């Protein structure tokens, strides 16, 4: 296996307003497998702007072209995949490459109401498209976080997340997936020295999921508890 990559990074602007563009290319090569080298690349752009003294807005866009390697020897036989859909297939060892195009668009806003209160909101849209359409999907995701400082060493956070997505299946059906999650957390931090800090956090919440039962092809809803520490 050999991997080669190259990256280019360019930034423009000051602390209040800045634009950053990054690009990367890479090559994957599998020796003695009968596969030609596969190439990929991604381009990322991000802009940040301060609005007044308490607010900051950001927007980013990522685009990538990625090769996905699959081992067909241990996978199910795909009746809907002809030779033209697998141009990089190797009949000797069962490897084939599925290329996909992906895009991610994100916007966010951070607002510090006071020294103790901060609100953050973000939205993200992801889409991925495969050459053979199997596995195509898109997702909308939004989050809202509220941070409250309880003192010099402790604070709490309340978070809400909403996800609405769809993914293509091997039988050409589309499976929806959605979730709504709420979490409440507490964090404590103490400075032990100039270079050492001790911190602990704990929290919990619940996630409500809506999807489709693959066997019965009926709507499925359930709630899951969550916790961390």
């Amino acid at each position: 296996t050999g991997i080669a990559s190259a990256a280019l990074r360019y930034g423009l602007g000051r602390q209040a307003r800045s634009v950053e563009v990054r690009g990367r290319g890479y090559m994957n090569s599998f020796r003695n497998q009968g596969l030609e080298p596969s190439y990929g690349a991604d381009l990322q752009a991000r802009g940040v702007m301060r609005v007044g003294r308490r607010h900051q807005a950001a927007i980013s866009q990522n685009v990538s072209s990625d090769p996905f390697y699959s081992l067909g020897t241990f996978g199910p036989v795909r009746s809907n995949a002809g030779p033209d859909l697998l141009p990089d297939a190797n009949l000797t060892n069962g490897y084939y490459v599925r290329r996909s195009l992906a895009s991610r668009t994100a916007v966010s806003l951070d607002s510090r109401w006071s020294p103790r209160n901060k609100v953050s909101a973000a939205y993200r849209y992801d889409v991925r498209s495969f050459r053979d359409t199997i596995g195509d999907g898109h997702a909308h995701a939004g989050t809202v976080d509220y941070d409250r400082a309880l003192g010099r060493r402790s604070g709490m956070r309340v978070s809400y997340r909403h996800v609405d997505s769809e993914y293509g299946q091997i039988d050409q059906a589309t499976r929806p997936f959605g979730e709504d999650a709420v979490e409440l957390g507490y964090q404590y931090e103490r400075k032990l020295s100039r270079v050492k800090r001790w911190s602990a956090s704990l929290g919990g919440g619940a996630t409500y999921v809506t999807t489709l039962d693959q066997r019965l092809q009926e709507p499925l809803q359930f709630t899951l508890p969550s916790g961390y520490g």
Side-chain angles (χ1 to χ4, degrees), residues 43-74:
L43 180 65
Q44 305 174 15
R46 186 173 187 266
V48 179
M49 180 180 64
R50 286 192 174 276
V51 183
R53 300 177 58 184
R54 300 181 178 180
H55 314 289
Q56 178 175 287
I59 182 171
S60 64
Q61 176 66 56
N62 298 354
V63 180
S64 64
S65 175
D66 306 305
F68 279 75
Y69 289 89
S70 300
L71 182 59
T73 304
F74 299 102

Side-chain angles (χ1 to χ4, degrees), residues 116-135:
R116 290 181 175 269
N117 298 277
K118 178 183 176 182
V119 175
S120 302
Y123 167 79
R124 187 183 75 243
Y125 176 68
D126 297 320
V127 59
R128 184 177 292 275
S129 176
F130 286 90
R131 181 182 298 178
D132 55 10
T133 72
I134 298 175

Side-chain angles (χ1 to χ4, degrees), residues 28-167:
N28 294 336
S29 178
F30 291 83
R31 186 179 179 183
N32 299 328
Q33 295 298 329
L35 288 174
E36 296 182 355
S38 295
Y39 302 90
D42 60 72
L43 180 65
Q44 305 174 15
R46 186 173 187 266
V48 179
M49 180 180 64
R50 286 192 174 276
V51 183
R53 300 177 58 184
R54 300 181 178 180
H55 314 289
Q56 178 175 287
I59 182 171
S60 64
Q61 176 66 56
N62 298 354
V63 180
S64 64
S65 175
D66 306 305
F68 279 75
Y69 289 89
S70 300
L71 182 59
T73 304
F74 299 102
V77 178
R78 292 167 46 186
S79 60
N80 61 335
D84 58 327
L85 296 181
L86 304 176
D88 300 321
N90 183 289
L91 300 180
T92 303
N93 51 38
Y95 282 99
Y96 62 90
V97 180
R98 301 176 63 227
R99 180 163 295 279
S100 73
L101 294 175
S103 173
R104 167 175 289 187
T105 304
V107 294
S108 63
L109 177 64
D110 296 331
S111 179
R112 184 169 293 279
W113 294 353
S114 68
R116 290 181 175 269
N117 298 277
K118 178 183 176 182
V119 175
S120 302
Y123 167 79
R124 187 183 75 243
Y125 176 68
D126 297 320
V127 59
R128 184 177 292 275
S129 176
F130 286 90
R131 181 182 298 178
D132 55 10
T133 72
I134 298 175
D136 288 1
H138 66 271
H140 301 268
T143 59
V144 178
D145 300 323
Y146 169 67
D147 293 279
R148 167 74 177 181
L150 302 178
R152 297 178 58 185
R153 300 176 179 176
S154 62
M156 60 172 292
R157 165 174 283 198
V158 179
S159 303
Y160 170 74
R161 180 180 70 254
H162 174 76
V163 177
D164 184 11
S165 59
E166 289 185 345
Y167 299 96

